[in-house]
Amino acid sequence: MASRVDHEYDYLFKIVLIGDSGVGKSNILSRFTRNEFCLESKSTIGVEFATRTLQIEGKTVKAQIWDTAGQERYRAITSAYYRGAVGALLVYDITKRQTFDNVQRWLRELRDHADSNIVIMMAGNKSDLNHLRAVAEEDGQTLAEKEGLSFLETSALEAHNIEKAFQTILSEIYHIISKKALAAQEAAASTVVPGQGTTINVGDSSGNVKRGGCCSS
Ligand SMILES: Nc1nc2c(ncn2[C@@H]2O[C@H](COP(=O)(O)OP(=O)(O)OP(=O)(O)O)[C@@H](O)[C@H]2O)c(=O)[nH]1
Ligand SMILES: [Mg+2]
């Protein structure tokens, strides 16, 4: 019964991955959704997405995570990518200063294209390469505080803080949504239909992910 399967969650949240090419977005996604990592992954072309369902404060939350190319020439239409997104993971590479300097550029893009209430987590990825570090953890922390973002250093390779990064984003979104639902209920105008889940504007929710590169079997 396909329709039953479609509603085996309380909430569906769309989250977008952004950041320069090569920072590890696709590997963060594969680590989180399939527990896979690929040392020689190819640059993403266009848009892919993958899903994972998890428990957030007793609710079943389906995270639909979108991944696109950091390289401008491979990117799909920007507005469609951000449409309906309630969370963003903005990734830089702790071994490449330029990817950190470009964080401001990505924040501008979010401001221009995404919902103004989008929950943003900044991740300094490749924390396993501490000997090649070009961005101090405090620099990440300082920028995050200045911009009002959550912040973690992660490693897709070592599966360090990947789980925590998504858990944090999803919990924050859940808190915002449940506060809004409560306010709406109090105003006797709730838009949440109990038991049917709250669908947050997504396109294709088939749950499939296109696989490419060296990790495909
Ligand atoms: N050491 C280390 N390497 C990583 C980590 N995450 C990703 N990489 C490597 O960094 C390279 C780029 O990773 P991708 O996940 O393809 O980067 P991306 O951000 O998706 O790049 P685009 O698709 O071009 O935007 C690959 O060689 C990965 O193996 C990490 O946590 N540690
Ligand atoms: Mg990629």
Side-chain angles (χ1 to χ4, degrees):
M1 282 201 288
S3 62
R4 191 165 170 273
V5 172
D6 284 346
H7 293 296
E8 276 177 355
Y9 51 84
D10 298 302
Y11 296 95
L12 174 63
F13 294 151
K14 174 178 173 180
I15 294 175
V16 290
L17 285 164
I18 52 169
D20 283 6
S21 179
V23 297
K25 300 180 296 296
S26 299
N27 276 281
I28 287 174
L29 179 64
S30 64
R31 175 62 78 195
F32 184 63
T33 57
R34 307 195 298 274
N35 202 18
E36 284 177 11
F37 178 83
C38 177
L39 256 182
E40 289 146 32
S41 62
K42 296 197 186 83
S43 268
T44 306
I45 297 176
V47 177
E48 303 180 348
F49 77 84
T51 62
R52 186 172 143 192
T53 301
L54 62 171
Q55 295 296 310
I56 303 285
E57 299 189 18
K59 298 286 179 191
T60 305
V61 172
K62 184 169 179 173
Q64 187 183 66
I65 304 152
W66 292 50
D67 178 28
T68 190
Q71 286 181 56
E72 200 86 44
R73 65 194 163 121
Y74 291 142
R75 302 189 67 202
I77 305 157
T78 311
S79 54
Y81 187 66
Y82 291 108
R83 191 172 305 131
V86 288
L89 185 63
L90 200 179
V91 186
Y92 68 88
D93 176 345
I94 66 151
T95 71
K96 296 219 164 59
R97 186 79 204 182
Q98 187 64 48
T99 67
F100 179 69
D101 295 339
N102 281 341
V103 162
Q104 295 289 357
R105 212 195 116 236
W106 289 105
L107 285 173
R108 260 202 311 279
E109 179 155 315
L110 275 175
R111 250 173 246 131
D112 289 347
H113 296 283
D115 188 283
S116 57
N117 294 316
I118 193 165
V119 170
I120 308 167
M121 152 82 72
M122 184 171 76
N125 192 41
K126 308 195 187 181
S127 65
D128 55 284
L129 298 176
N130 201 31
H131 54 295
L132 300 174
R133 181 185 283 279
V135 184
E137 186 163 8
E138 303 82 69
D139 290 358
Q141 196 67 57
T142 304
L143 179 63
E145 275 164 28
K146 180 173 155 256
E147 298 292 342
L149 319 172
S150 308
F151 172 67
L152 280 174
E153 283 199 348
T154 58
S155 168
L157 186 149
E158 292 182 340
H160 173 65
N161 274 346
I162 301 295
E163 199 75 17
K164 190 172 175 191
F166 285 104
Q167 282 274 355
T168 305
I169 298 175
L170 293 166
S171 299
E172 226 176 290
I173 296 165
Y174 173 69
H175 286 147
I176 293 170
I177 298 277
S178 47
K179 255 190 226 153
K180 271 191 191 157
L182 194 67
Q185 266 170 15
E186 280 169 0
S190 173
T191 53
V192 178
V193 182
Q196 293 211 354
T198 303
T199 302
I200 313 281
N201 254 351
V202 287
D204 178 1
S205 60
S206 61
N208 294 324
V209 59
K210 271 189 292 168
R211 296 190 189 183
C214 60
C215 293
S216 307
S217 51

